[in-house]
Amino acid sequence: MWRFEIGHEWSGVGLDERLVVVVHEGGVSVEGPLFGEDTRPQGEGFCARLWEHEVVEVFLGRDDGGYVELEVGPFGHWLVLEFSGYRQGTAVHGVVNSHRVEVVSGR
């Protein structure tokens, strides 16, 4: 299990409240504030281009230089992308074993 505490956005702007990401055998858990993005994807589940909405992105590197990008949205949306190298996409995964999102107290 890996636990990460994130204190700033991708742009370097500090967060008022830390975001906690836990990667474990059963998947990825995210706890943190909602940022109030105006757009929300339709429905739930798989969502192409999820990065255009409120999302947490987790990058998991491999020994061969490739990586997997997991995107989890606060409203039940997700996206899994596989890369052979920096921005060299090789696969978009539209199926995962299970996905559960719980929004508690606006977080």
Side-chain angles (χ1 to χ4, degrees):
M1 178 179 77
W2 297 300
R3 176 185 165 92
F4 304 95
E5 290 192 24
I6 302 165
H8 61 276
E9 294 182 16
W10 64 270
S11 63
V13 173
L15 299 176
D16 293 334
E17 184 178 348
R18 289 190 178 271
L19 183 70
V20 177
V21 178
V22 179
V23 180
H24 48 86
E25 187 175 317
V28 175
S29 300
V30 178
E31 180 181 330
L34 291 173
F35 292 95
E37 294 284 331
D38 291 336
T39 61
R40 180 177 178 167
Q42 296 289 331
E44 288 186 357
F46 174 80
C47 179
R49 303 179 66 85
L50 184 55
W51 59 85
E52 294 178 347
H53 306 277
E54 185 153 345
V55 66
V56 170
E57 298 175 338
V58 177
F59 298 85
L60 304 171
R62 298 190 314 244
D63 291 338
D64 65 2
Y67 61 95
V68 173
E69 178 179 337
L70 307 171
E71 298 186 11
V72 180
F75 306 109
H77 301 91
W78 56 267
L79 178 63
V80 179
L81 304 169
E82 188 172 352
F83 296 84
S84 61
Y86 180 69
R87 294 196 175 186
Q88 297 174 359
T90 58
V92 176
H93 299 281
V95 177
V96 294
N97 290 338
S98 65
H99 179 260
R100 181 177 65 92
V101 172
E102 180 179 1
V103 178
V104 179
S105 300
R107 295 175 46 88

